[in-house]
Each structure stands twice: as structure tokens, then as C-alpha cells.
Amino acid sequence: MSIILKTASELRELLNQGQITSVELTQQFLQAISTRDPQVKAFQLVDATGALEQAEKVDAKRKAGQPLGALAGIPVAVKDVLCVKGQPTTCSSKMLENFRPPYDSATVEKLRAADAVIIGKTNMDEFAMGSSTENSAFMTTRNPWDLERIPGGSSGGSAAAVAACLAPVSIGTDTGGSIRQPAALCGIVGSKPTYGRVSRYGLIAFASSLDQVGPFTHDTLDNALLLEVLAGFDPRDSTSVNRPVPSYTQTIQQPLEGLRIGVPKEYFEEGLDSEIQSAIKQALQEYQKLGAKLVDVSLPHSKYAVATYYIVATAEASSNLARYDGMHYGYRAKPQSGEKLDLIRTYSRTRAEGFGKEVQRRIMLGTFALSAGYVDAYYLKALKVRRLIKNDFDQAFSQCDVIMGPTSPSAAFKLGEKSNDPLAMYLSDIYTIACNLAGIAGMSIPCGLTRTGLPIGLQLQVPPFEEEKMFRIARMYESVTDWHTRRPQLVLGK
Amino acid sequence: MDIETVRKVANLSRLDLSETDLAQMTQQLTAILGYIDQLSELNTEGVEPLSHPLPIQNVFREDEPRPSLPLELVLQNAPARQGDFFSVPAVFDPADDLSH
């Protein structure tokens, strides 16, 4: 078996046993990137020199018998929304095309402290706004299972990088499904931790009350390993929560006795593709065979989640993105010859030229929802419905340990299929969006393939700070199925 | 949503949009708001708004001086600079009469 097909946990074994060095491993992944990334287009930037230098350092540390971090020598790809000191961090936007952060994000610090090898930055929907990665200002990432289809988004580059075995693990961010949806569409594992679990310091903000950082991996064991590294209190993020991080990898192999799975009827209504529906039903049957009990629950306000989200998220975005005015960093519009641009015109020209269409649409929608005369009818109304959505979850979790259902209503769609219909695009997040509004934790794990060979994801949602339980529940499924071991033809060859 | 409202919002958003962009934006925002309007069918009287998922209040720290970024790092991304300053277009046009 080719080394690049392996999980990070397996690679860790090989490194520890001295069967391979981190330099060799990093070279293998760099080789895979140069062979396949021209087709997949997952990477915005590949830092071969930096990665090999770091790999060398870790190998030297290992040789000297020094203590090593949990990801020692393992290549990691990072979504281009997380600041890496001195390296271009673009958010896949023209606005930040030449931006070089003066400091590392908390996530990158944690990865460095764990001795990981940061191999590159991945493509995304501009400012993490989108569900297909087609909103990148620079390129369109392809789904490794079918190059004519989208990888999902907004963390499409990070998901495609792992699915195409260009990196064993990667980091994404999830504001309304941007980790879980691409994980589902690319046949890998992706988790969105509880709001406040992972520091947002150095994460370029989209919607501050919804954004969370999380890992993409081939299986749940790796996912637990990564979250263990990423999670933890950070005083530099005032919404970071100060509570201990459980050792997820220590307990993950323990099945949950008496598991109660909540199955909301609202997740199986119209709009759900029938192949997805039957794969989810089959997954639930697997759990039943393992002794789990299915409980009918209801999330009556589910149908309002997308509408609520597109007010809350855009309102926050309109405020967060006000900082891009072309003064201190980022793009600045230049006056045309003979023209004089005053300050205000410089702002508005900069933003019209620097932001793409979707980002502009969301800034407009958010500004409208917060503007005098409309704030009560839109923003305040949405916050009230957000409360009802959270209450639904509280109510449901009083009857079950986990809520399960589809991650995405359909498998990966074709490139361009929804790019001219923003509303249709928004609706592809219908099952993932409420999780962020409520601030709970969720993940997607592979649970099947369609007849045409496209991956299907099962979504698990748990109450705040119950990631430990979530990983154990997900691992139960992996112990009796092999969907997480599948790799696309693109990687396996003929 | 009419084009005049969109024009006003574009100004509030500091987005210099062309007439074509404004027309397209009007059409798209109208469709999105039409979808969002389903929220109005819900009775939310007496429901406490939820602006944030965590029950946290203001987070304070001691007001102690701490090192900040070196000047060169702060200015390295400046679109334009003059010495140790960010260079920006004039806030007021010197030709304007500001006496009144």
C-alpha cells in the first residue's frame, strides 16, 4: 500500500518505528501534490522548502531522543483563512492577495507546538462564503472522486487535499457547514467543534458568533488526534472557553453503552436525494445492530435555519469585513489617469474591485438587515428564531445522546450547476447550518457511495462540549464498516 | 427591494457598484429576502433574542502594558506608506471651503 494512502495515526507508527523519516514522508506528499494537484487544484500555496526544513528538524529531534509533539513529522494542509506568519494568507480573495500576516494564528501555533509539518495553504470560497469553493478569486478546486464536480465548500481545498491524499490531514473552518459538507462530498471525516472549543485568534473572521476551526481526516481516530491538538483555552480569543480538553484518543475505542440516537423527522422530508436517504437509513441500521436505540425527535424550526443564518451570518460579516478599506493592509484601488479619488471613493472603489460577487452580496444583505428601519424586522427577528432553533436542540438532546441524519441533501453537484443561483447554493447547507446557530458540535463521516461513485456523509450532532462522546459514537460505526478506508480512483489508479 | 434601496445600501456598505451590478444585486437580493421572509410567519413574541451561543459576559483583563508588534511588521502590508506612517488619501479636499 502506498504510504500516502495511510492515516496520520498509521504514519505516526511508521515514524516512531523508524521505518520512514519525516523528510521522506514529506517528499512523498510533495510528489503527490506535483502529480495530482494540477488536476485537483486544492492548494493555494505549497511551501515545499518550509515543509522540508521543518521535517528535517523533527527528524533531528527524533534522532536525538527529544520529546516529540502529537503530530511530529506529519504533513498538514491549512485553509488559507488561518494566518501563517510571513506567508501569503489570502482568504482566496483579491483583497488579501498580497497580505502577509505579522503573526501566526492560534491553530498554526498549536500545529507547530505539536511538531507538525505545514505543507501548504488550501483554496476556499472567498472569505469562507460559499458551498462549492467556486467563489475563490483564484481557481476552482475539483472533487477528487469526479473532477467535473465541486468538492463542497467553503473549505473545499482542505477537503480535496485529504481526499486526494495530497496531505494526510488538513484544517478547515466551519461557519454554517464549511467543514462537514465538503467532508461529506469528498468522502472523508470532518468535525466542527463546539463554539469556543478552538481559539479563533488569527482566524480571519467571517461571522464571529458562528466560526469554528476543525480538522479533516480519513478516519475518526485521526480526527480525535487532531482536535486534541487544536482545542484549548486561549485568552486572546474572548469567546474561547476555559475548560479542560479531554484526551479524545484515549477513550475513542470505547463503544457507548445504551446509545440513544435521535432521528429528526425534519431531516428526511422533501429535498433529500433518495440515494442519500437510503444510505443514512442503512447507517442507522448498523447502529441498531450495535445495540443503539433509535428515538424519534423533532427539530420543528429546522426549516427556518437557512433563513436565520443568512441574516445572522451576513450581519456579522458586514461588520467584520468593514475593516477592508484599503488603508492599513490589503488591496487599494488606484485612481485612473487624471482622476482624483477622495477617501470615501477610495474605500468604495477598493471594496468593489477587491471583493468578489458573493462577498459583496453578503455585505449588502447584512448591511440591509442592520440598517435603520429594517433591523427589527430582520436582524432582531432572526436572533429570536435562533433562540427557538437552540431550544429545539436542547429539547431533543433531553431524549438522546446524538442526533443523526444526512450531512448534505445531495452528493457533489456539477461545477457551475448552482453558481448563478445564490439561493439554491445556500440551500445545500440546510442540514449543517443549525449546528452553528446553536453552537453545538457536529461531524460528518463517510457512510456510502452513490451508484455513480460519489461519497455520502452521515452527520452526527451532540450537545456542547461532548466531542469525546461524538468521537466514540463515530468510531463505533467505523469499527463495523469500511467506508472510511475508500480512496478515489484518481489516487488508486486503474 | 427596489434599486433605490439597493443603491442606498451599497453606499452604506461602501461598495461602488455599476448600474449593471445594482440591477443584478436588486434581483438577487429580492429573491433571497423573499425566502427569508418566511421567518415572519413565526410568532416570536416574548422570545429572548440569542446573539451568541455561549452564556458569556464581557471578558476583562488587567490593564497592563504588553509588547505590541514592531513597527516594521505593522507597516509591512501598508498599500502606501510615508516613513513610519500609513499614507492615505486626503480626508478633506483642501479645495473645499471648511470655514462655514
Side-chain angles (χ1 to χ4, degrees):
Chain A
M1 180 171 134
S2 165
I3 201 110
I4 59 163
L5 302 180
K6 292 187 185 296
T7 66
S9 310
E10 290 165 348
L11 294 174
R12 232 159 57 123
E13 275 302 288
L14 295 180
L15 287 163
N16 287 338
Q17 291 163 1
Q19 295 198 32
I20 191 166
T21 65
S22 177
V23 167
E24 286 162 358
L25 188 61
T26 305
Q27 278 166 342
Q28 293 257 9
F29 281 103
L30 288 170
Q31 179 59 43
I33 291 171
S34 62
T35 312
R36 276 196 300 280
D37 203 47
Q39 285 172 283
V40 178
K41 298 189 171 73
F43 283 89
Q44 173 70 35
L45 175 118
V46 180
D47 182 19
T49 315
L52 287 169
E53 271 173 24
Q54 165 69 359
E56 229 168 273
K57 269 188 221 160
V58 178
D59 283 339
K61 255 174 116 170
R62 195 185 296 276
K63 218 169 163 190
Q66 289 169 19
L68 293 167
L71 299 174
I74 303 287
V76 183
V78 177
K79 185 178 182 180
D80 210 19
V81 69
L82 288 155
C83 288
V84 176
K85 187 178 176 176
Q87 238 179 48
T89 296
T90 70
C91 272
S92 292
S93 179
K94 197 178 159 192
M95 189 62 91
L96 292 177
E97 193 169 358
N98 299 309
F99 175 64
R100 285 169 190 265
Y103 57 83
D104 276 335
S105 53
T107 291
V108 167
E109 283 178 353
K110 293 260 195 189
L111 291 173
R112 293 197 202 282
D115 294 318
V117 172
I118 297 172
I119 200 165
K121 304 294 292 290
T122 57
N123 194 35
M124 55 188 275
D125 282 303
E126 184 179 2
F127 283 100
M129 298 178 184
S131 313
S132 69
T133 314
E134 290 166 297
N135 293 335
S136 164
F138 305 120
M139 60 187 175
T140 300
T141 301
R142 310 299 180 104
N143 190 313
W145 293 82
D146 178 349
L147 296 171
E148 296 308 306
R149 289 175 188 270
I150 56 103
S154 66
S155 315
S158 287
V162 172
C165 299
L166 308 178
V169 296
S170 67
I171 309 297
T173 59
D174 189 315
T175 305
S178 285
I179 291 174
R180 289 158 292 153
Q181 184 253 20
L185 270 40
C186 288
I188 58 173
V189 176
S191 64
K192 185 210 87 81
T194 306
Y195 184 79
R197 181 75 288 187
V198 179
S199 170
R200 293 184 297 110
Y201 178 76
L203 157 63
I204 297 176
F206 158 16
S208 304
S209 83
L210 305 163
D211 296 341
Q212 263 296 286
V213 176
F216 286 105
T217 57
H218 288 297
D219 68 5
T220 55
L221 195 57
D222 275 9
N223 218 271
L225 176 68
L226 263 284
L227 188 60
E228 224 169 275
V229 168
L230 301 179
F233 177 61
D234 180 357
R236 296 167 302 182
D237 169 5
S238 59
T239 61
S240 166
V241 173
N242 195 354
R243 61 193 272 163
V245 180
S247 178
Y248 304 121
T249 50
Q250 290 285 306
T251 54
I252 191 168
Q253 307 288 7
Q254 300 168 13
L256 218 70
E257 296 290 329
L259 172 64
R260 296 164 307 157
I261 300 173
V263 185
K265 62 173 188 292
E266 292 83 2
Y267 285 7
F268 296 90
E269 285 168 356
E270 58 166 314
L272 177 61
D273 180 278
S274 63
E275 275 191 275
I276 310 282
Q277 167 148 351
S278 58
I280 302 301
K281 291 259 155 93
Q282 235 173 327
L284 293 173
Q285 281 168 16
E286 287 296 339
Y287 273 104
Q288 281 180 301
K289 283 190 227 158
L290 290 167
K293 217 175 88 185
L294 303 188
V295 185
D296 289 326
V297 296
S298 178
L299 300 168
H301 298 93
S302 293
K303 65 178 272 212
Y304 302 105
V306 172
T308 304
Y309 175 87
Y310 278 94
I311 293 296
V312 173
T314 61
E316 294 185 16
S318 73
S319 166
N320 273 327
L321 272 63
R323 74 191 68 181
Y324 302 104
D325 59 2
M327 296 299 126
H328 300 100
Y329 53 88
Y331 178 79
R332 180 189 291 184
K334 286 168 195 63
Q336 276 143 23
S337 64
E339 182 190 39
K340 226 182 109 205
L341 276 186
D342 65 9
L343 186 71
I344 302 291
R345 287 294 301 287
T346 306
Y347 291 159
S348 55
R349 189 75 71 74
T350 291
R351 293 162 61 78
E353 292 173 7
F355 290 135
K357 288 275 173 271
E358 179 61 25
V359 174
Q360 292 184 4
R361 233 174 348 251
R362 295 200 194 191
I363 290 173
M364 292 282 289
L365 189 56
T367 304
F368 172 72
L370 291 174
S371 64
Y374 298 102
V375 66
D376 285 358
Y378 289 99
Y379 185 60
L380 208 62
K381 181 79 185 181
L383 293 185
K384 289 177 178 181
V385 183
R386 184 177 187 181
R387 167 83 60 190
L388 297 176
I389 289 168
K390 185 180 183 292
N391 291 350
D392 282 356
F393 279 108
D394 291 347
Q395 180 69 32
F397 284 130
S398 70
Q399 304 163 61
C400 62
D401 304 294
V402 60
I403 291 172
M404 287 194 196
T407 307
S408 166
S410 67
F413 45 91
K414 287 242 164 80
L415 294 164
E417 194 179 316
K418 298 184 182 178
S419 44
N420 291 317
D421 188 350
L423 190 55
M425 189 73 90
Y426 297 174
L427 289 171
S428 57
D429 294 330
I430 192 151
Y431 301 124
T432 49
I433 246 166
C435 176
N436 302 73
L437 290 167
I440 62 175
M443 74 190 292
S444 179
I445 59 174
C447 73
L449 292 170
T450 64
R451 278 187 298 274
T452 53
L454 298 172
I456 300 171
L458 172 72
Q459 184 177 220
L460 287 72
Q461 295 178 95
V462 295
F465 300 103
E466 294 201 359
E467 286 86 356
E468 191 245 9
K469 226 184 210 177
M470 179 173 80
F471 286 131
R472 287 168 61 194
I473 297 168
R475 189 66 180 169
M476 288 167 71
Y477 182 74
E478 281 185 349
S479 68
V480 292
T481 55
D482 69 352
W483 298 111
H484 60 288
T485 65
R486 307 294 179 94
R487 304 287 183 267
Q489 268 312 312
L490 180 78
V491 182
L492 299 173
K494 295 262 152 57
Chain B
M1 204 176 195
D2 56 35
I3 195 158
E4 287 318 309
T5 311
V6 173
R7 200 186 303 278
K8 196 183 133 206
V9 174
N11 180 45
L12 290 173
S13 306
R14 296 284 185 258
L15 287 168
D16 185 14
L17 301 182
S18 70
E19 286 302 312
T20 324
D21 287 343
L22 287 172
Q24 196 192 30
M25 195 72 89
T26 307
Q27 187 210 333
Q28 288 169 335
L29 291 181
T30 303
I32 296 165
L33 286 172
Y35 177 81
I36 286 170
D37 271 338
Q38 63 174 305
L39 295 183
S40 61
E41 70 193 44
L42 275 175
N43 181 1
T44 51
E45 223 182 278
V47 177
E48 188 68 21
L50 179 70
S51 59
H52 206 271
L54 295 172
I56 47 173
Q57 304 299 322
N58 281 338
V59 177
F60 296 107
R61 63 170 170 81
E62 291 309 310
D63 185 17
E64 287 160 351
R66 290 184 302 186
S68 31
L69 286 174
L71 202 55
E72 267 318 301
L73 273 186
V74 173
L75 286 161
Q76 72 176 2
N77 288 294
R81 67 182 276 190
Q82 264 178 38
D84 286 347
F85 299 95
F86 291 99
S87 174
V88 304
V91 178
F92 299 108
D93 190 329
D96 284 351
D97 179 7
L98 300 174
S99 57
H100 55 266

